[in-house]
């Protein structure tokens, strides 16, 4: 079954589609190709099938990334490192800093200090990148 591959996001659309079902880009000038699901090589209509194993590569726009990509995981790690860790560190460090045991108190003060430094950096750096 022929399909139209969106030049913007690379999604397969029906052969009769006028616009991409994902990003809304116009598909008026896009040529139909055979579906990869049919087991045949994808090639523009009218082009002969190649028997040497060559499969043409249709360019995809790199402007859009799916949520499950590496950038999604990096964002999650950034939130953990700049929000969750300092918050928990301040609570635990603050509790341990008032301990009777001197080595524990030193560790609690250090943890509290590191958490405050991370929060300070976060409050300074994030506004710089958001402009």
């Amino acid at each position: 079954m022929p399909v139209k591959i969106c030049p913007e996001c690379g999604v397969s659309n029906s052969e009769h589609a006028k616009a991409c079902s994902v990003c809304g880009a116009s598909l008026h000038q896009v040529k139909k190709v055979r579906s990869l699901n049919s087991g045949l090589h994808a090639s523009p209509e009218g082009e002969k099938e190649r028997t040497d194993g060559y499969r043409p590569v249709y360019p995809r726009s790199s402007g859009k990334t799916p949520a499950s990509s590496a950038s999604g995981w990096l964002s999650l790690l950034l939130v953990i490192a700049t929000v969750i860790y300092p918050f928990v560190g301040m609570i635990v460090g603050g509790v341990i800093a008032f301990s009777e045991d001197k080595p524990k108190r030193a560790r609690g003060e250090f943890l509290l200090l590191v958490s405050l430094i991370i929060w300070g950096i976060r409050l300074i750096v994030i506004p710089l990148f958001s402009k």
Side-chain angles (χ1 to χ4, degrees):
M1 175 172 112
V3 295
K4 289 183 177 179
I5 306 294
C6 177
E8 295 295 320
C9 66
V11 171
S12 297
N13 293 280
S14 76
E15 64 181 307
H16 305 294
K18 304 288 184 216
C20 178
S21 61
V22 173
C23 68
S26 174
L27 299 175
H28 289 290
Q29 301 296 326
V30 177
K31 292 183 180 182
K32 298 175 198 171
V33 295
R34 291 191 192 124
S35 172
L36 295 176
N37 294 337
S38 67
L40 302 173
H41 295 295
S43 60
E45 264 188 25
E47 189 176 299
K48 286 186 171 183
E49 272 305 310
R50 295 178 63 137
T51 57
D52 60 355
Y54 172 79
R55 294 181 76 172
V57 177
Y58 298 97
R60 295 183 97 172
S61 171
S62 61
K64 300 176 190 217
T65 57
S68 62
S69 69
S71 66
W73 286 104
L74 290 176
S75 297
L76 177 65
L77 289 175
L78 183 63
V79 167
I80 291 171
T82 62
V83 177
I84 297 171
Y85 176 78
F87 183 71
V88 172
M90 284 192 301
I91 293 171
V92 173
V95 170
I96 296 175
F98 293 104
S99 174
E100 298 290 328
D101 188 15
K102 195 169 186 171
K104 272 188 176 179
R105 186 176 23 205
R107 278 183 260 153
E109 290 169 354
F110 178 75
L111 185 58
L112 185 59
L113 180 65
V114 169
S115 299
L116 290 172
I117 290 171
I118 292 173
W119 269 109
I121 291 171
R122 183 177 186 274
L123 292 175
I124 293 169
V125 173
I126 288 182
L128 293 176
F129 286 113
S130 63
K131 289 183 179 180

